[in-house]
Amino acid sequence: MPKSDRNPLVHGSNLEQKENHRTKYRDVGSKKYLSEIRAEYDKWHSANLELVGPTSTPTAQDEAIIATRVELLSKYKDFLDQQHYAEKFDSRSNLHSSVLEEFLYYLFKDLVRDFGENALIGKSHTFKDIFFVPPKYSEMLKRPYARIEKKDHDFVIGATIQVSFEAATPPEKDENPREVLPLLKEEPENYSEVTVTGNTETHIFDIPVVAIECKTYLDKTMLEGSSRAAEDLKARNPNSLYVVLMEWIKLTSNVNLRKYKVDQIYVLRQQKNTDREFRYEEKYVKNSINLVVVQHLFHKVRKHLKMDWTGGIEHGIERGWLIDE
């Protein structure tokens, strides 16, 4: 299977795109700000790469390592969140929102590495569903024309899967059919990406085991969307974990969290959301990123990756209850 060229350093990539953009960010002010951000980003990036851990094996140093990563994140976020940078690079540029996504890579990189070089980590277009779209029935008898529907996730830990499909003779039919059907040479224009060899088509896609959605803040509409995404994921991979991570929360006590399908919601600053322009008022107090919240997230993910997923009806019958708790 070919190695992926995905880059988990999404914030660094976003910054590089702005630095090299042919038309945008070419003015003196933008170049100055990008240069200042680059200097601080390189420090944050290097410090996180030099820091090792936590890994899949718990140690007495785990909490201190996480604390250092949170301290590095807080320092860089405080720098980047200054008003002049926020006004120059708004939310549509994804410069600020991508910081959390890259932080998750640093937080989990050494844990995931313990599971092998094929482990998937970072931003990904993952498997959502499969369906079949042959141009006509006669073509369906030659090959399946499978199409893979994908879903963008901010951060995943999982695996890349390569599968092959081919049309088969029904078992009750003669193994030596008299007629050999010719294969369609050209693909329909809107057919999903696939490698076709003879009557075999090969697809490559990512399967998340852990999916983390990163947001600046979370409101009810966003939560409903996250819940639908979590439900879709669990329908295809029941062993998956779906988490929402944000800095601020924009939910009221009238929201029934139990009806949503996400496994956990983490609020890094343990604070209600305030519109960005009010965050720069002198009287506004911005909470720091809470270390305990990040520690809880890390331990939840590590436990999930290391646990035994054996289950199902037969296993449940043995103990008397069918759904894991």
Side-chain angles (χ1 to χ4, degrees):
M1 183 185 301
K3 288 187 177 293
S4 170
D5 60 356
R6 67 171 55 84
N7 183 1
L9 306 178
V10 289
H11 179 64
S13 296
N14 183 288
L15 180 58
E16 184 177 0
Q17 289 171 9
K18 287 175 171 53
E19 291 170 326
N20 298 326
H21 202 285
R22 293 184 178 182
T23 56
K24 295 182 180 179
Y25 315 114
R26 307 315 300 167
D27 59 282
V28 175
S30 294
K31 288 183 177 181
K32 177 178 181 294
Y33 288 167
L34 288 172
S35 177
E36 294 169 352
I37 294 171
R38 165 60 67 182
E40 292 301 315
Y41 168 77
D42 287 346
K43 294 177 186 176
W44 179 55
H45 171 66
S46 298
N48 272 289
L49 291 186
E50 291 173 4
L51 188 62
V52 177
T55 66
S56 62
T57 303
T59 70
Q61 289 75 43
D62 285 355
E63 307 308 325
I65 295 171
I66 296 174
T68 301
R69 294 202 187 279
V70 171
E71 183 180 352
L72 291 169
L73 170 65
S74 298
K75 182 179 179 181
Y76 181 62
K77 277 289 291 177
D78 287 344
F79 169 81
L80 189 63
D81 286 348
Q82 293 180 82
Q83 186 172 2
H84 55 286
Y85 295 137
E87 291 175 347
K88 191 67 173 179
F89 308 105
D90 61 21
S91 59
R92 292 171 296 180
S93 74
N94 294 324
L95 181 65
H96 293 77
S97 61
S98 58
V99 175
L100 283 184
E101 298 171 28
E102 186 161 328
F103 168 72
L104 291 175
Y105 168 71
Y106 298 137
L107 181 64
F108 293 114
K109 64 182 178 66
D110 297 308
L111 165 63
V112 173
R113 185 178 292 120
D114 282 354
F115 291 90
E117 63 177 8
N118 290 331
L120 166 69
I121 181 171
K123 197 178 188 74
S124 178
H125 309 292
T126 67
F127 175 88
K128 181 180 180 182
D129 205 352
I130 182 172
F131 56 102
F132 302 89
V133 286
K136 52 187 176 180
Y137 177 58
S138 61
E139 294 301 328
M140 190 178 189
L141 299 177
K142 304 168 194 174
R143 64 182 179 88
Y145 288 85
R147 181 178 293 175
I148 306 298
E149 183 181 359
K150 297 182 180 181
K151 163 71 176 174
D152 289 344
H153 285 295
D154 296 330
F155 180 85
V156 304
I157 298 171
T160 299
I161 307 296
Q162 177 174 296
V163 297
S164 296
F165 299 99
E166 63 180 66
T169 303
E172 67 274 13
K173 296 289 186 179
D174 187 347
E175 293 184 359
N176 298 305
R178 299 174 184 175
E179 181 183 6
V180 178
L181 297 173
L183 291 170
L184 186 69
K185 299 296 184 182
E186 297 182 0
E187 295 289 328
E189 290 183 1
N190 60 350
Y191 189 61
S192 60
E193 293 183 9
V194 58
T195 300
V196 180
T197 304
N199 68 338
T200 302
E201 48 187 62
T202 301
H203 300 257
I204 299 177
F205 49 84
D206 296 339
I207 296 288
V209 170
V210 176
I212 303 180
E213 191 172 350
C214 300
K215 295 187 176 297
T216 301
Y217 68 90
L218 181 75
D219 61 21
K220 186 178 179 181
T221 301
M222 295 175 181
L223 178 57
E224 289 170 347
S226 299
S227 180
R228 288 191 295 270
E231 187 172 17
D232 287 343
L233 176 59
K234 292 173 183 294
R236 275 70 185 177
N237 181 11
N239 294 319
S240 59
L241 182 72
Y242 197 100
V243 170
V244 185
L245 176 71
M246 78 230 54
E247 293 187 64
W248 290 277
I249 192 75
K250 198 175 181 180
L251 296 176
T252 69
S253 300
N254 296 326
V255 175
N256 177 14
L257 294 178
R258 291 293 183 180
K259 75 176 184 179
Y260 298 103
K261 306 301 181 182
V262 299
D263 292 293
Q264 191 53 270
I265 301 171
Y266 290 99
V267 188
L268 289 174
R269 298 190 187 275
Q270 297 180 291
Q271 193 172 21
K272 290 281 190 177
N273 181 63
T274 301
D275 290 341
R276 189 179 67 177
E277 58 266 28
F278 299 122
R279 293 181 202 148
Y280 297 108
E281 292 183 348
E282 187 174 345
K283 63 180 180 180
Y284 179 73
V285 178
K286 182 172 73 172
N287 289 354
S288 300
I289 294 174
N290 190 287
L291 170 61
V292 175
V293 176
V294 179
Q295 289 171 334
H296 190 283
L297 167 64
F298 178 84
H299 292 303
K300 185 176 185 67
V301 170
R302 180 163 67 181
K303 178 182 178 181
H304 183 71
L305 294 179
K306 294 180 65 178
M307 69 186 297
D308 186 355
W309 294 338
T310 303
I313 300 297
E314 297 302 324
H315 183 74
I317 290 175
E318 292 180 5
R319 66 188 177 192
W321 56 90
L322 302 188
I323 299 177
D324 291 329
E325 298 176 345

